[in-house]
Amino acid sequence: MTLSAADCERLEPFATTWLEYGASVKHLIRALTDGLPDVIHNPAGIAKRRLEDKMPPKPGREPETVLRSVMVCMFCDTTEEDEPLINGMCEACRSEDEDDIPATFRPGPRPADVAAHADAARIAAGLPPRGRG
């Protein structure tokens, strides 16, 4: 594939971008020359199209490494280093009125309590309680 000097000047920014994105010269040459047809009527057009379509991805930033993690109270941001956290809460927040804690964060009922409540509802509806054993 023969290119004129003017064609090379027009294609140079694309090739430069390839190299800036981390592609090797060998990779760039293969992208331009692999699978070419026997007869080429517009070599600059094919080269430009291949350089645009096969452009390697823009390099991303290096992934950040987490060096340390710290648990904090879900209500006041007290760290686990300042005070032990139980169920994600510090002592001060645990001792506050339970109505301030959203239902999402309250512990659920024990399975035995659920079974007893379900049996009471069955009896109230005139049904026999479930036998558990």
Side-chain angles (χ1 to χ4, degrees), residues 58-126:
K58 186 175 183 177
R61 296 184 319 152
E62 288 292 319
E64 295 181 15
T65 303
V66 176
L67 301 175
R68 190 182 102 154
S69 64
V70 178
M71 298 286 290
V72 295
C73 175
M74 65 178 126
F75 296 107
C76 69
D77 293 335
T78 299
T79 69
E80 65 184 346
E81 295 168 346
D82 298 334
E83 174 178 342
L85 302 177
I86 299 173
N87 294 329
M89 293 186 288
C90 67
E91 179 62 36
C93 291
R94 275 195 321 274
S95 64
E96 288 182 6
D97 188 12
E98 202 172 281
D99 292 336
D100 292 340
I101 300 173
T104 307
F105 299 115
R106 289 194 202 129
R110 297 177 308 164
D113 295 338
V114 172
H117 184 70
D119 283 343
R122 286 188 188 94
I123 292 169

